[in-house]
Amino acid sequence: MERSVSTIIIFLLLLPISAHAEVMDKEPSLQFNFIWGIGGSIATLLCARYKPKFLPLITLLPLFYFYALWEEINDPHVGPQILREAGEFYIHSAYALGISVISCIPIGLLWFWWYKQHNKLINKD
């Protein structure tokens, strides 16, 4: 009886050593990042083209999402684990998708400006 209690106590003391906590089960998946990136880029582009006054409202949510993801990637403790578990493609795609959301703002605004200028020329005749 005493031997089994001491065995259980030693087992319970050594149990945390065998635990392996992964980082990527707490981070968003690659598919989720692509949904946010592509959806945010399309929403930003169309908002900049058709309703530029709503642009700050539309772009805030995807930009906050990618800012939080970049914070996790650049964390000195979590970042190397993300690189080890998810690989370089995960990190590069997070940066690229965030940049695509930001780059859709001037593209959509140029499209809006070009459309206004083009309609002025057509309606002038």
Side-chain angles (χ1 to χ4, degrees):
M1 176 78 175
E2 188 175 308
R3 180 176 165 96
S4 64
V5 170
S6 63
T7 305
I8 291 173
I9 290 173
I10 290 173
F11 176 73
L12 291 175
L13 288 174
L14 294 176
L15 189 63
I17 293 173
S18 65
H20 178 70
E22 294 187 11
V23 174
M24 285 311 295
D25 59 345
K26 296 160 193 70
E27 297 297 322
S29 67
L30 183 63
Q31 292 86 1
F32 197 66
N33 289 345
F34 270 96
I35 289 170
W36 269 100
I38 294 170
S41 296
I42 291 171
T44 302
L45 181 69
L46 293 177
C47 183
R49 163 57 184 92
Y50 293 106
K51 297 286 183 186
K53 62 183 173 185
F54 295 127
L55 199 54
L57 294 173
I58 299 297
T59 57
L60 279 181
L61 197 58
L63 289 180
F64 280 146
Y65 174 79
F66 283 108
Y67 176 74
L69 185 60
W70 289 335
E71 284 291 316
E72 291 289 325
I73 289 171
N74 291 322
D75 185 84
H77 302 290
V78 178
Q81 295 301 319
I82 292 174
L83 178 62
R84 185 177 63 78
E85 292 177 19
E88 289 183 15
F89 184 73
Y90 182 87
I91 293 174
H92 294 312
S93 66
Y95 286 127
L97 290 167
I99 290 170
S100 73
V101 172
I102 294 171
S103 65
C104 283
I105 296 170
I107 293 170
L109 289 175
L110 284 172
W111 186 14
F112 175 75
W113 175 79
W114 177 82
Y115 187 75
K116 273 180 78 172
Q117 295 299 324
H118 183 70
N119 276 348
K120 280 183 185 177
L121 292 174
I122 291 174
N123 293 334
K124 196 177 197 181
D125 294 337

